[in-house]
């Protein structure tokens, strides 16, 4: 679709190369070219590009700026932990080391503007200079005057410069309360399943045909597309499991066209890998070694994922056990399991019409923080003081996606959580601390 990348300022051959490097993003690249205009003319002061992770924002910008040979500076807001580093990197990219050395030790925005204007007077811009700021949402945590100043930097420095902000959140989350210059907004939508198929199929293995690799990608997306649409993660999974997909072919057991047998061979491995999407507890080499070891020991692939090999702090394991019990046990059974003198309580007295189904089939239920801590103090071996360390470990479990916070962020007095791990994983964690979790589950009475 090179017709979408036509611009009178650039050669057709150069635009053709750009289009080949930007599959499924020709529309967005064409819109950006229209916004940039002629290289010698003034461009719009600021452009805000937003979209989910791995939707092609940085890649499209880098390909356009490098292939069209436009002067630019790419800044990661993650790396620039201070304003001084940001100003130094911008001056270094456009004017060299001498200009960057003119900055004082703790430069202000006025210092940066002054030095930039001095350098512009000595070497004025012949083309539009572009400043690309990745992870721009971190600018909200800097000085209040930095973001509004960057949005109208063209006016402040009196130079042909355009700021391009790349972010995963929408502009409404950025806009300061005091108001600012409104940038042009450009949205990068998520890749569809067909677009992911087209992009991933380009990474075909040289030893196999394009049709064979395309059928593998089709199988991979059939398993992972419902839980993961991140192009980088899918590309990692495709490279990680392709050797296992080709094993029957290398042994001469099947042909390339026998998709059904190839699917039966790879299915348990893909389902196992699906339990560790986004969680890189082990490297790719360690993952392959674990699979080979398990097959040698048992002859089959066990159902436990790499989660069973993750190491957690001692009290984090008990917090996770308490969260699992709180998610799968009715609240009124806590007295039966965690009090010594609870009296005789028969399970039949608990049953109601709507509780004949197993709680494990219904899924985890949300629970408040105070219930989690009450169960935790009951199951842990020794007495633990309710310190900040315990609460920080709960936050770490949420970050690791082992727990899910289901209440709103503004509910600070009574946050609610859900346990997000499987029974197999929980049994493996319990064994490491010699805790028999089955004895405390209502479904197994």
């Amino acid at each position: 679709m090179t017709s979408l990348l036509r611009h009178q300022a650039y050669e057709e051959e150069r635009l053709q190369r750009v289009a080949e490097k930007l599959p499924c993003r020709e529309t967005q690249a064409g819109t950006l070219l229209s916004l940039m205009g002629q290289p010698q003319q003034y461009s719009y002061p600021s452009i805000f590009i937003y979209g989910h992770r791995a939707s092609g924002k940085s890649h499209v910008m880098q390909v356009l700026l490098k292939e069209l040979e436009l002067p630019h500076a790419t800044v990661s807001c993650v790396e620039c932990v201070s304003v001084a580093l940001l100003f130094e990197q911008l001056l270094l990219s456009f004017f060299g080391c001498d200009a960057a050395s003119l900055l004082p030790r703790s430069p202000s925005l006025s210092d940066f503007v002054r030095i930039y204007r001095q350098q512009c007077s000595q070497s004025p811009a012949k083309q539009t200079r572009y400043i690309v700021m990745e992870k721009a949402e971190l600018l909200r945590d800097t000085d209040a005057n930095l973001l509004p100043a960057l949005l109208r930097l063209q006016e402040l420095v009196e130079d042909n410069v355009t700021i391009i902000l790349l972010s995963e959140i929408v502009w409404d989350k950025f806009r300061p309360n005091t108001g600012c210059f409104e940038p042009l907004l450009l949205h990068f939508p998520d890749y569809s399943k067909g677009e992911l198929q087209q992009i991933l199929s380009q990474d075909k293995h040289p030893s196999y045909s394009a049709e064979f690799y395309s059928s593998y990608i089709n199988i991979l997306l059939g398993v992972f597309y419902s839980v993961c649409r991140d192009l980088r993660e899918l590309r990692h999974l495709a490279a990680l499991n392709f050797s296992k997909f080709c094993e029957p072919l290398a042994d001469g057991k099947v042909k390339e066209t026998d998709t059904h047998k190839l699917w039966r061979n790879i299915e348990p491995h893909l389902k196992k890998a699906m339990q560790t999407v986004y969680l890189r507890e082990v490297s790719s080499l360690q993952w392959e070694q674990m699979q080979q070891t398990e097959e040698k020991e048992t002859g089959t692939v066990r159902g436990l994922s790499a989660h069973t090999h993750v190491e957690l702090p001692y009290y984090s394991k008990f917090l996770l056990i308490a969260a699992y019990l709180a998610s799968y046990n009715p609240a009124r059974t806590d007295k039966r399991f965690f009090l010594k003198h609870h009296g005789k309580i028969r399970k039949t007295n608990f049953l109601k019409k709507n509780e004949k189904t197993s709680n494990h089939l219904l899924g985890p239920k949300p629970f408040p923080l105070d219930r989690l801590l009450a169960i935790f103090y009951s199951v842990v071996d020794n007495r633990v003081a309710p310190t900040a360390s315990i609460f920080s470990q709960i936050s770490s479990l949420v970050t690791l996606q082992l727990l899910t916070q289901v209440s709103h962020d503004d509910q600070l007095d009574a946050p609610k959580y859900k346990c997000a791990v499987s029974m197999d994983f929980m049994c493996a964690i319990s064994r490491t601390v010699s805790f028999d979790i089955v004895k405390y589950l209502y479904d197994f009475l």
Side-chain angles (χ1 to χ4, degrees):
M1 298 178 64
T2 57
S3 59
L4 295 175
L5 291 181
R6 289 186 177 177
H7 200 285
Q8 58 184 0
Y10 306 106
E11 301 172 359
E12 195 72 29
E13 182 181 352
R14 184 175 291 184
L15 294 176
Q16 174 77 23
R17 291 200 304 268
V18 171
E20 290 174 355
K21 293 183 177 181
L22 300 177
C24 308
R25 279 292 177 257
E26 297 90 348
T27 303
Q28 288 74 23
T31 304
L32 274 171
L33 282 177
S34 301
L35 295 177
M36 291 176 178
Q38 299 282 349
Q40 296 80 13
Q41 298 175 351
Y42 267 70
S43 181
Y44 199 77
S46 52
I47 302 173
F48 183 82
I49 300 176
Y50 64 101
H52 288 153
R53 182 176 180 269
S55 56
K57 303 181 295 295
S58 299
H59 180 62
V60 169
M61 284 309 311
Q62 292 305 317
V63 169
L64 284 175
L65 295 174
K66 289 181 179 179
E67 288 294 331
L68 302 181
E69 298 178 357
L70 299 173
H72 66 279
T74 302
V75 178
S76 172
C77 295
V78 177
E79 298 175 1
C80 295
V81 295
S82 66
V83 177
L85 287 175
L86 172 63
F87 293 157
E88 181 182 358
Q89 192 165 342
L90 291 179
L91 293 175
L92 188 65
S93 300
F94 288 139
F95 306 111
C97 300
D98 294 337
S101 63
L102 296 175
L103 284 170
R105 177 168 295 180
S106 298
S108 64
L109 181 63
S110 301
D111 295 326
F112 171 70
V113 172
R114 175 178 53 83
I115 296 173
Y116 194 107
R117 296 181 69 169
Q118 289 175 358
Q119 297 299 317
C120 282
S121 62
Q122 300 174 9
S123 57
K126 298 179 180 178
Q127 294 182 342
T128 304
R129 295 185 174 114
Y130 294 96
I131 299 176
V132 181
M133 308 200 69
E134 299 178 344
K135 297 287 183 183
E137 55 266 18
L138 297 178
L139 290 174
R140 299 178 302 166
D141 302 327
T142 58
D143 298 338
N145 65 339
L146 181 61
L147 179 59
L150 289 176
L151 292 174
R152 57 194 313 163
L153 186 64
Q154 187 180 103
E155 177 185 345
L156 291 175
V157 300
E158 297 180 354
D159 184 39
N160 187 5
V161 59
T162 295
I163 291 282
I164 300 178
L165 304 177
L166 307 183
S167 175
E168 296 181 14
I169 62 177
V170 296
W171 170 246
D172 293 338
K173 301 277 188 178
F174 270 81
R175 187 181 288 109
N177 296 329
T178 55
C180 65
F181 184 83
E182 294 288 325
L184 291 178
L185 306 183
L186 179 59
H187 179 234
F188 273 53
D190 290 339
Y191 290 109
S192 65
K193 188 175 182 179
E195 290 172 340
L196 289 173
Q197 171 87 27
Q198 179 182 343
I199 296 171
L200 293 173
S201 296
Q202 294 182 351
D203 303 331
K204 66 181 184 69
H205 198 279
S207 303
Y208 299 94
S209 64
E211 293 78 9
F212 176 72
Y213 193 79
S214 180
S215 65
Y216 165 67
I217 295 298
N218 188 35
I219 291 173
L220 186 85
L221 290 176
V223 175
F224 289 102
Y225 184 73
S226 60
V227 297
C228 173
R229 302 183 184 185
D230 188 320
L231 177 60
R232 279 176 284 187
E233 186 70 20
L234 289 170
R235 182 168 276 156
H236 169 74
L237 291 167
L240 191 62
N241 295 284
F242 185 64
S243 59
K244 184 62 64 175
F245 183 72
C246 298
E247 273 186 2
L249 199 64
D251 297 338
K253 297 178 181 178
V254 298
K255 298 180 181 179
E256 285 190 7
T257 54
D258 199 345
T259 311
H260 182 65
K261 289 184 178 179
L262 290 168
W263 159 247
R264 287 178 58 189
N265 177 68
I266 194 66
E267 180 185 13
H269 299 276
L270 293 183
K271 287 184 176 180
K272 181 180 178 182
M274 189 164 61
Q275 299 176 17
T276 57
V277 173
Y278 296 114
L279 297 176
R280 307 285 177 83
E281 296 117 342
V282 294
S283 66
S284 302
L285 180 61
Q286 289 172 325
W287 171 269
E288 293 175 0
Q289 291 174 349
M290 284 161 47
Q291 285 186 331
Q292 293 172 2
T293 304
E294 289 176 2
E295 289 182 353
K296 288 179 181 178
E297 291 177 353
T298 64
T300 58
V301 179
R302 292 201 301 265
L304 297 183
S305 68
H307 277 130
T308 56
H309 301 273
V310 66
E311 284 297 327
L312 293 172
Y314 181 74
Y315 289 132
S316 291
K317 294 179 180 179
F318 278 102
L319 282 169
L320 197 57
I321 290 171
Y324 191 85
L325 295 174
S327 280
Y328 289 99
N329 283 347
R332 66 181 184 280
T333 62
D334 291 349
K335 181 180 178 182
R336 173 190 181 94
F337 289 119
F338 306 115
L339 284 182
K340 292 183 179 179
H341 306 289
H342 55 74
K344 279 195 172 182
I345 303 176
R346 298 177 62 188
K347 183 179 179 181
T348 53
N349 294 335
F350 285 122
L351 288 177
K352 291 185 178 180
K353 291 182 179 179
N354 60 347
E355 287 188 355
K356 292 182 179 179
T357 308
S358 168
N359 290 305
H360 282 74
L361 295 179
L362 295 175
K365 303 283 177 56
F367 54 85
L369 177 62
D370 55 356
R371 186 180 174 214
L372 169 66
L373 294 176
I375 297 177
F376 167 71
Y377 293 129
S378 299
V379 299
V380 74
D381 292 339
N382 45 12
R383 293 193 175 187
V384 184
T387 60
S389 174
I390 298 298
F391 293 99
S392 67
Q393 291 186 45
I394 296 176
S395 300
S396 299
L397 292 174
V398 174
T399 304
L400 290 171
Q401 299 180 358
L402 301 176
L403 292 184
T404 304
Q405 185 171 350
V406 295
S407 60
H408 295 291
D409 294 335
D410 55 354
Q411 294 181 351
L412 300 178
D413 54 341
K416 291 187 176 182
Y417 302 91
K418 271 200 308 188
C419 191
V421 299
S422 64
M423 178 70 178
D424 289 336
F425 171 60
M426 205 64 254
C427 289
I429 290 292
S430 304
R431 284 195 294 269
T432 62
V433 292
S434 302
F435 183 84
D436 190 0
I437 192 172
V438 177
K439 290 183 178 180
Y440 293 87
L441 286 171
Y442 179 67
D443 286 342
F444 296 96
L445 283 180

